[in-house]
Amino acid sequence: MRSGARLCLLALSCFLLLAASSDTEQPLHGYSAASSRAQREWETKFRAIPEPQNQRDYMQRLSARPHHVGSPYDKDNAEWMLAKFKEWGLEANIETFDVLFPTPKVRLVELLEPTKFTAKLQEPALPVDPTSNQQAEQLPTYNAYSADGDVTAPLVYVNYGTPDDYEQLARIGVSVKGAIAIARYGNSWRGIKPKVAAEHGAVGCLIYSDPADDGYTQGDVFPTGAWRPRDGVQRGSVMDMPLYPGDPLTPGVGATKDAKRLDLKDVKTITKIPVLPISYADAQPLLAALKGEVVPDAWRGSLPQTYHVGPGPAKVHLKVQSNWDIKPLYDVIVKIPGSTNPDEWVVRGNHHDAWVNGAEDPISGTVALMEEARGFATLLKQGWKPKRTIIYCVWDGEEPALLGSTEWGEAHADELRRHAVAYINSDGNGRGYLSMGGSHSLEKFINGVARDIQDPEKKIPVWKRDQLKAIADAKTPEERKEARDRADLRINALGSGSDWTVFLDHLGIASLDLAYGDEDGGGIYHSIYDDFYWYTHFSDTDFSYGRALSQTAGTAVMRLADADLLPYDFTGLADTIHSYLDELQKLLKTKQDDAIERNKELEEGVFTAIADPKRTSVPPPAEEVPPHLNFAPLQNASDALTHSAERYQKALEKVSSDGQLRVGPAELQALNQKLMQSERKLTSPEGLPRRPWFEHLMYAPGAYTGYGVKTIPGVREAIEQKKWKEADEQIARAASALQDEAALIDSAAQDLENGK
Ligand SMILES: [Zn+2]
C-alpha cells in the first residue's frame, strides 16, 4: 500500500469510529429498540470469549495425526470434541452413517518410451516438520472415486483440461482419443478434468501441480516458505459431484445402516477413466518427453523446458486400483434448544475430517467453531436464552464428497425443510480479509454482522476493510462507485465445494459461507504438509483471525437465533437477480455475435490464410447462430420480485418506525414461519435438467466448472450447451419460482400492513 493511501485510511478510520458509535443506537434488523439493546449486550459479552490460545491448543491436538474418513484418529477426534462439548455443559451426540470411501491399493505411473522413468508418488518427510513422517497413517497421494484401470497409451498435454482447452487442441489437430491426458491443477475443479478428458475419448488422466500456479513461481517453497515443494501432491476427490454429492450408493437418502444401496456398477458419479494426481517433480520427465506442436502461449507452465502438446512419443503406463470399502462417518452434533421458538433452527457447521493432518483444511475452521460453542455455553450459564434452537455440526467426510453433511441433510430432510432458518458454513480459515458468500436474502444481514467485527491487524471493522479493498480492486469506474456508494457489499453466490451444498442446493435453506484469508498464500493444500508446523509458521500464526472467525460466525448465529422477526432482506436479492438476468442476456448476445463473426471469417478464408503452413492448424467448425430467446417471463418475474421486496421493506419500516416492532406475538410467529420458506420457494422438487438432486433454481455448481457457481443455472447452462428449447423451458421455470417468491414476500408485506 502506498503511504498516501495509508494516511487517508487513518483519517477515515477515526471518522468511522464516530459513525459506528451512533450506529449502535439503530436497532438491529428484525429487533425492537429494547430487544436490540439487550442483544448487543449479549453479543459484546460473546465476542470477548473466544481465545486464540485455545484454538491453537485444539489445532495441535486435532491435527496431531492423520485423520481421514475411516482412520482411527478421525473417530478419536470426533469423540474428543464430543467430550469437550459435554464438558462445557452442552447437549451433544455423534450421528453415524456408512458410506462408500475408496482408498488406494495400487498406484503406478511409469514412462515406457522414449526413456524410462517411474513416478515416486510419495511426499517425503521433512526433518523440521514433526508430523510429516507419519507415513504409516497417511493416505497415499491419490484421487478418490477414480475408476480402477490399467492403461498404456501416448501422453497428451491438455493445459487445465477444460472444454475450451479441447477446442484449442482441435485447432492444432490433436485429439486425446485413446491417449492419457495430463492436465495441470487450476482453472476448474479437479473432478472436471477426468470427466472432460473421458468425454473426448482419453483412456486415462494425470493431474499435476505446475509451479506456475502452485509452487516456486508463487513464492518460496516449504519449508523455507509457504508454497508447494517439488514433491508436494494435491490429493482430492474426482467424483462427479455436480451430478450429486454424498455417498455414491445412496443418492437422495441418508446412508443409514439399513438404507437401500445401489450396486457399485450402477453408480454414475465415479470417473469413467483412471486418474492420479502427481507432483511437479514427477510430472517433469513426462512433459519433457512430449514432442509435437509447441503449446499455445497461455498453456505454458514454469517448468524449465519447452512445453509440447504431444501426442507422444511419451508413452505412459497408468495403473489405479482402490479398496472399495464402506467406512463409518462420525458427525458431531450439538443442540442448544430454543426458548420461545424451538421449532426454528439455526444450523452452523465446519468439517473435521482431513486428507492427512489438515491443520488449515479444515481444522483452522473447526477450532473457531469450537470456541463459538464454548462461548455459547458460557453465555447460557450467565442467563442467555436464545429464542431459536441452535445446532452446531462438526462434519465428517467432507473431503471425499461432502459425505457427512450430505447424509445428515438427506436423513433429516423433512425436518430441515420445515424448521431451518439458515445454515452458516466455514471450511478452514487464514489471515486477511473476510470473504462472505451465500444467499442474497442474507446479504444485508451478514453485512451488518461484518460491520461489528474488528479486524485484528488494522483495528477497523472487517466490513470497512473489505469495502476499501473492493475500491482498490475495482476494474471500472462503475465498480468503484458501487463499492463506495452501495449500502452493502455484494456477497458471492455459492457454487459447491463445501458443506453448505446439501442445505442450499438440495433443501433450499438460506446459507452463508465465511472465512478470512488472502494474505496467507500457500501450497500445502491437501498434502502431508498441511499441518500444525506449516499453519503456525505461515498462516494465522497468532490465531487472531481464528478469533475473528469465531466472533463473526458466532455473532451471526446469535443474531439469527434471537431476532424477533427473521432478518431476511429481499431488496438485495431482487437487485442481484436483475443483474443475473442482464448477464444471461449479454451471454446470449455474445454467443450470437461470436458465431456470426466466426462464420464470416470462415467464408473470408481468414483461418487458412493466416495459418503457418509449416505448423498444423485446423480451422474451427462453422457455428450455428443461437436463436433469440424469450426472456420476458424472467423480466416480469424479476420486476415482480423488486416490487414485493420494496413493499415488504416499506411495511417493515412502518411497523418499526419508532423503535417498536408493532406486530403481535402470534402474528410474528406466523410471519416468521412464512419467511422461513422464502429460500425454499426458489427451489423445485424436479431439480435441474439431468441432475434432479440440485433443486435450487438460482444457484448451482456448474456441470463443467465443479466448484464454480452458475447462477440461474438451468438457463445459463442451456445457453452454454446450445440447448435452445431447453433454455426457453428453463426461463419459464425460473420465472415461475421467482413469481412464487414475489407472492410470498407480498403476502408477508400484507401481514405487516394488517398486523398493527
Ligand atoms: Zn475443507
Side-chain angles (χ1 to χ4, degrees):
M1 187 182 285
R2 284 168 292 120
S3 57
R6 189 163 300 175
L7 269 178
C8 292
L9 211 130
L10 208 75
L12 239 164
S13 64
C14 299
F15 165 76
L16 275 163
L17 285 177
L18 293 173
S21 60
S22 64
D23 248 355
T24 47
E25 309 305 320
Q26 281 281 322
L28 294 165
H29 184 51
Y31 288 74
S32 69
S35 59
S36 177
R37 265 194 304 278
Q39 175 67 14
R40 283 195 181 280
E41 276 173 30
W42 282 118
E43 287 182 4
T44 305
K45 280 185 194 155
F46 166 76
R47 288 197 288 271
I49 298 171
E51 285 290 346
Q53 184 59 43
N54 288 346
Q55 295 197 10
R56 188 186 169 93
D57 293 345
Y58 306 154
M59 178 182 282
Q60 191 157 21
R61 142 78 219 192
L62 290 166
S63 66
R65 286 168 54 189
H67 52 104
H68 51 272
V69 172
S71 67
Y73 208 60
D74 174 77
K75 182 175 188 227
D76 199 72
N77 272 347
E79 285 166 353
W80 180 78
M81 285 185 286
L82 178 73
K84 277 277 169 207
F85 292 130
K86 287 186 169 168
E87 176 193 318
W88 297 331
L90 296 168
E91 180 189 322
N93 70 307
I94 288 181
E95 274 190 59
T96 61
F97 297 97
D98 296 291
V99 297
L100 179 72
F101 178 55
T103 52
K105 190 174 181 178
V106 180
R107 301 170 307 138
L108 177 68
V109 177
E110 48 184 359
L111 183 67
L112 303 177
E113 293 171 19
T115 48
K116 292 217 185 304
F117 165 76
T118 303
K120 268 202 303 215
L121 309 179
Q122 174 69 50
E123 301 177 294
L126 298 171
V128 297
D129 180 353
T131 61
S132 64
N133 65 0
Q134 300 167 329
Q135 217 188 94
E137 289 181 69
Q138 291 165 355
L139 263 183
T141 57
Y142 81 124
N143 287 131
Y145 304 100
S146 158
D148 287 350
D150 184 349
V151 292
T152 300
L155 194 65
V156 175
Y157 175 65
V158 297
N159 194 29
Y160 294 107
T162 64
D164 286 352
D165 291 329
Y166 286 91
E167 271 177 37
Q168 280 254 43
L169 214 52
R171 294 286 327 274
I172 42 179
V174 174
S175 156
V176 294
K177 217 171 171 57
I180 293 174
I182 181 164
R184 51 175 164 159
Y185 268 113
N187 254 12
S188 76
W189 177 60
R190 80 181 79 71
I192 300 302
K193 299 169 196 284
K195 175 173 162 173
V196 180
E199 286 176 0
H200 285 82
V203 297
C205 182
L206 296 171
I207 314 177
Y208 81 104
S209 310
D210 196 286
D213 311 290
D214 188 7
Y216 54 71
T217 306
Q218 300 286 334
D220 290 323
V221 303
F222 188 64
T224 310
W227 295 91
R228 192 172 300 274
R230 59 195 304 274
D231 293 308
V233 180
Q234 181 188 140
R235 289 160 187 74
S237 176
V238 285
M239 184 201 263
D240 194 359
M241 276 188 265
L243 198 55
Y244 66 88
D247 177 27
L249 303 182
T250 60
V253 298
T256 50
K257 283 259 174 302
D258 44 5
K260 221 177 118 222
R261 285 177 164 77
L262 293 177
D263 268 356
L264 188 54
K265 65 172 174 28
D266 297 324
V267 169
K268 299 273 189 297
T269 53
I270 293 166
T271 63
K272 305 283 180 288
I273 55 175
V275 47
L276 267 185
I278 59 176
S279 66
Y280 52 88
D282 275 343
Q284 184 166 14
L286 308 184
L287 292 168
L290 282 173
K291 291 280 180 292
E293 289 290 338
V294 170
V295 302
D297 284 2
W299 288 35
R300 290 172 194 169
S302 50
L303 289 169
Q305 65 193 40
T306 305
Y307 283 64
H308 293 265
V309 173
K315 193 188 218 183
V316 168
H317 177 205
L318 165 66
K319 191 171 178 191
V320 180
Q321 225 182 313
S322 292
N323 304 299
W324 293 90
D325 297 332
I326 303 284
K327 292 280 165 69
L329 293 180
Y330 303 94
D331 286 343
V332 188
I333 310 288
V334 181
K335 202 172 269 185
I336 302 174
S339 57
T340 58
N341 305 38
D343 288 338
E344 295 170 16
W345 302 351
V346 180
V347 188
R348 158 92 174 101
N350 192 105
H351 69 103
H352 69 79
D353 70 297
W355 278 117
V356 196
N357 297 73
E360 178 192 57
D361 181 7
I363 298 302
S364 56
T366 319
V367 299
L369 176 145
M370 287 183 70
E371 276 298 89
E372 293 160 46
R374 189 178 67 82
F376 293 165
T378 310
L379 293 192
L380 289 166
K381 284 176 198 143
Q382 295 172 9
W384 174 56
K385 291 191 179 64
K387 284 196 176 67
R388 299 188 172 80
T389 296
I390 294 172
I391 302 178
Y392 263 54
C393 311
V394 206
W395 309 116
D396 199 354
E398 189 272 354
E399 291 297 357
L402 320 177
L403 295 164
S405 55
T406 303
E407 299 314 316
W408 190 83
E410 289 174 344
H412 299 281
D414 291 340
E415 303 161 83
L416 284 163
R417 283 198 184 97
R418 258 178 291 140
H419 301 305
V421 163
Y423 172 70
I424 299 177
N425 190 68
S426 59
D427 184 347
N429 198 47
R431 191 171 67 84
Y433 301 89
L434 174 63
S435 133
M436 304 181 279
S439 299
H440 289 84
S441 55
L442 292 173
E443 182 175 82
K444 186 170 277 307
F445 169 78
I446 196 62
N447 268 266
V449 172
R451 285 186 173 91
D452 291 338
I453 309 299
Q454 198 191 59
D455 183 284
E457 286 173 344
K458 303 287 171 178
K459 314 293 181 204
I460 57 173
V462 297
W463 185 90
K464 194 68 207 171
R465 197 167 182 221
D466 273 14
Q467 187 205 20
L468 296 174
K469 176 93 165 24
I471 292 170
D473 290 352
K475 288 186 192 72
T476 62
E478 292 74 32
E479 276 181 31
R480 202 168 301 126
K481 184 170 168 13
E482 180 175 281
R484 286 207 173 95
D485 299 347
R486 194 173 187 263
D488 297 304
L489 297 172
R490 290 191 185 274
I491 63 174
N492 309 317
L494 293 178
S496 184
S498 192
D499 292 308
W500 69 75
T501 307
V502 71
F503 297 98
L504 180 65
D505 296 334
H506 187 58
L507 300 171
I509 296 163
S511 298
L512 288 170
D513 183 56
L514 304 170
Y516 287 87
D518 246 24
E519 291 182 320
D520 57 345
I524 44 67
Y525 179 61
H526 292 182
S527 78
I528 63 168
Y529 311 117
D530 178 0
D531 58 18
F532 186 72
Y533 179 87
W534 181 89
Y535 195 86
T536 52
H537 284 78
F538 298 107
S539 190
D540 178 25
T541 53
D542 62 2
F543 291 80
S544 59
Y545 281 95
R547 172 165 57 193
L549 180 61
S550 293
Q551 292 170 333
T552 311
T555 300
V557 168
M558 290 178 78
R559 208 171 275 187
L560 281 167
D562 287 336
D564 300 315
L565 177 70
L566 286 170
Y568 302 117
D569 163 78
F570 304 106
T571 55
L573 173 67
D575 177 42
T576 304
I577 297 290
H578 265 295
S579 73
Y580 293 161
L581 182 52
D582 288 347
E583 281 171 24
L584 288 177
Q585 289 170 296
K586 271 191 208 122
L587 175 69
L588 180 65
K589 179 79 170 64
T590 310
K591 295 244 170 223
Q592 289 167 333
D593 292 348
D594 288 355
I596 291 167
E597 176 62 24
R598 176 187 286 186
N599 295 346
K600 190 171 182 179
E601 290 180 18
L602 281 167
E603 251 176 61
E604 291 169 331
V606 168
F607 297 101
T608 39
I610 64 165
D612 178 346
K614 297 200 171 157
R615 301 186 64 182
T616 314
S617 175
V618 182
E623 278 258 19
E624 176 206 357
V625 179
H628 295 292
L629 295 174
N630 177 17
F631 286 105
L634 259 181
Q635 286 163 316
N636 290 325
S638 181
D639 284 351
L641 183 64
T642 303
H643 290 142
S644 318
E646 282 167 1
R647 180 178 167 193
Y648 179 78
Q649 177 75 17
K650 274 208 196 87
L652 183 59
E653 276 164 20
K654 209 157 172 208
V655 295
S656 48
S657 53
D658 51 2
Q660 305 295 310
L661 201 59
R662 286 183 306 272
V663 188
E667 287 81 3
L668 204 52
Q669 197 88 1
L671 191 53
N672 282 327
Q673 288 294 320
K674 192 174 280 181
L675 290 173
M676 245 164 61
Q677 294 303 315
S678 59
E679 193 81 15
R680 253 67 105 210
K681 290 285 175 199
L682 301 173
T683 66
S684 148
E686 293 88 58
L688 294 173
R690 295 168 293 284
R691 41 182 184 143
W693 190 91
F694 285 88
E695 296 188 9
H696 208 298
L697 299 183
M698 300 301 133
Y699 316 113
Y704 286 91
T705 55
Y707 286 175
V709 66
K710 294 284 173 179
T711 52
I712 319 190
V715 181
R716 193 180 295 265
E717 294 203 312
I719 294 174
E720 287 171 351
Q721 295 166 19
K722 303 177 185 167
K723 297 188 165 98
W724 309 118
K725 192 166 154 283
E726 184 173 299
D728 267 327
E729 291 161 7
Q730 294 299 317
I731 287 176
R733 288 184 73 208
S736 135
L738 290 172
Q739 291 285 7
D740 289 351
E741 177 80 341
L744 178 126
I745 297 166
D746 255 333
S747 133
Q750 188 158 20
D751 292 348
L752 281 177
E753 288 159 4
N754 299 341
K756 324 165 233 173

